[in-house]
Amino acid sequence: MEKLIITCCVTGAEVTKEHNPAVPYTPEEIARSSYEAYRAGASIIHLHVRKDDGTPTQDKEVYSKNIELIREKCPDVIIQVSTGGAVGMSDEERAQPLKLNPEMASLDCGTCNFGNDVFRNTPETMEFFAKEMKKRGIKPEFEVFERGWIENAKKLAEKGLVDEPMHFDFIMGAPGTMPGGIKDLIYMMESIPSGSTWTVGGIGKHQLPMAVAAIMLGGHVRVGLEDNIYYKKGVLAESNAQLVERVVRIAREFDREIATPDEARRILGMKR
Ligand code: KMH
Ligand code: ZN
């Protein structure tokens, strides 16, 4: 098996310090938390940013400041900006961090219920993000909340809007979307085009079982406070690094070595 790529989703747009005080908001907090996760073994930081009061934002200048501080501490880590942003944001608003030409970005390829909201990604939205990423040489990570979203991503490839190999992130167990069972994960991994890579992010209680399954099945792992604020039932995670450290320990038990950022680039078919 390839070495294991660990993505850390350090803050997201939904969780707050009221849920877990370790959720980082300011550029300094996000950079520190990213650095700790990187030191623990994360080679990709999935990056949302916040205003200092915790409000999610896609503001280009705020992204720029966050990226600058992360880069100071982790010169080689892969920074994957979010184009999902928060529910209700416009496409233009969500696309702002792409203007900074990051190495990688998330591309949500479908619409779903999302808790009590609807996370809207129309075909037009998906094509807009795909074109923008292709134009700028940004590697997309296709976020998949439902099985049909893989078909939407394949359509983008058929239209020549994305380059292969494609990289998918299965988000499993988010309220309103596909569940986080092993059978669901196997169905997903068997549905992507051959030669593609995949990672999985389990939401809440699904984070640990999905991570262990991915380690065994040859996929990659996403963990972090965006997806899960607990270490175990009733016990809050102390930090993003703590969640990454656990994955590293388990991977070692299965003889899967941890990929450095440059090894992750090679596995994902990216140029530095
Ligand atoms: N915050 C969610 C609505 C992404 O980063 O691309 C979308 C999300 C996915 O987190
Ligand atoms: Zn996200």
Side-chain angles (χ1 to χ4, degrees):
M1 281 185 197
E2 283 283 14
K3 289 190 179 181
L4 181 74
I5 301 171
I6 302 175
T7 300
C8 189
C9 46
V10 290
T11 186
E14 289 81 26
V15 289
T16 66
K17 284 188 192 291
E18 283 71 46
H19 297 122
N20 182 331
V23 173
Y25 288 169
T26 66
E28 290 75 17
E29 288 172 351
I30 289 176
R32 194 177 322 115
S33 197
S34 300
Y35 174 64
E36 290 166 5
Y38 161 80
R39 286 290 303 268
S43 49
I44 302 178
I45 301 298
H46 171 75
L47 184 65
H48 289 251
V49 299
R50 312 272 191 134
K51 295 182 185 162
D52 287 355
D53 67 358
T55 312
T57 176
Q58 290 291 101
D59 186 90
K60 186 177 147 216
E61 298 315 319
V62 182
Y63 259 101
S64 177
K65 181 72 187 164
N66 275 268
I67 291 171
E68 183 193 320
L69 295 192
I70 295 171
R71 275 271 161 266
E72 271 174 21
K73 289 176 180 284
C74 331
D76 61 337
V77 80
I78 299 170
I79 297 178
Q80 178 196 95
V81 302
S82 169
T83 64
V87 165
M89 289 178 171
S90 70
D91 295 355
E92 286 299 337
E93 201 177 353
R94 285 165 55 180
Q96 290 178 77
L98 299 180
K99 295 187 180 136
L100 299 166
N101 294 325
E103 240 185 320
M104 199 173 189
S106 62
L107 199 167
D108 296 88
C109 39
T111 293
C112 61
N113 286 346
F114 192 76
N116 292 325
D117 295 310
V118 174
F119 183 34
R120 272 175 68 84
N121 294 284
T122 64
E124 198 186 344
T125 299
M126 293 177 241
E127 288 197 12
F128 165 65
F129 286 127
K131 282 180 188 159
E132 206 54 34
M133 290 185 206
K134 190 171 166 88
K135 185 174 85 185
R136 296 172 181 275
I138 300 167
K139 170 92 175 172
E141 176 180 88
F142 296 98
E143 308 300 321
V144 173
F145 286 67
E146 294 286 359
R147 166 65 181 84
W149 292 26
I150 295 172
E151 302 311 305
N152 294 339
K154 282 174 16 190
K155 265 195 205 114
L156 295 174
E158 279 158 24
K159 289 186 175 176
L161 300 178
V162 298
D163 295 324
E164 293 179 3
M166 296 167 77
H167 176 61
F168 293 85
D169 174 28
F170 309 131
I171 299 289
M172 318 278 303
T177 69
M178 70 177 154
I182 304 271
K183 280 188 187 167
D184 304 293
L185 177 61
I186 290 173
Y187 183 36
M188 291 297 128
M189 66 176 256
E190 289 182 342
S191 301
I192 57 176
S194 69
S196 306
T197 49
W198 63 272
T199 190
V200 60
I203 301 299
K205 67 180 180 186
H206 302 291
Q207 186 164 83
L208 182 59
M210 288 295 98
V212 175
I215 291 167
M216 292 193 294
L217 293 167
H220 302 283
V221 171
R222 160 171 152 161
V223 289
L225 295 171
E226 171 174 350
D227 293 349
N228 170 38
I229 54 168
Y230 291 103
Y231 187 74
K232 57 167 91 164
K233 192 170 180 189
V235 180
L236 291 175
E238 286 166 12
S239 62
N240 279 297
Q242 188 191 29
L243 297 170
V244 174
E245 281 160 9
R246 173 164 61 181
V247 172
V248 171
R249 281 198 304 277
I250 297 168
R252 294 217 166 109
E253 289 294 323
F254 283 94
D255 276 338
R256 272 197 81 182
E257 289 178 51
I258 307 303
T260 63
D262 276 344
E263 288 167 340
R265 286 182 180 92
R266 180 190 53 74
I267 294 165
L268 299 176
M270 294 165 65
K271 293 186 203 88
R272 177 95 191 248

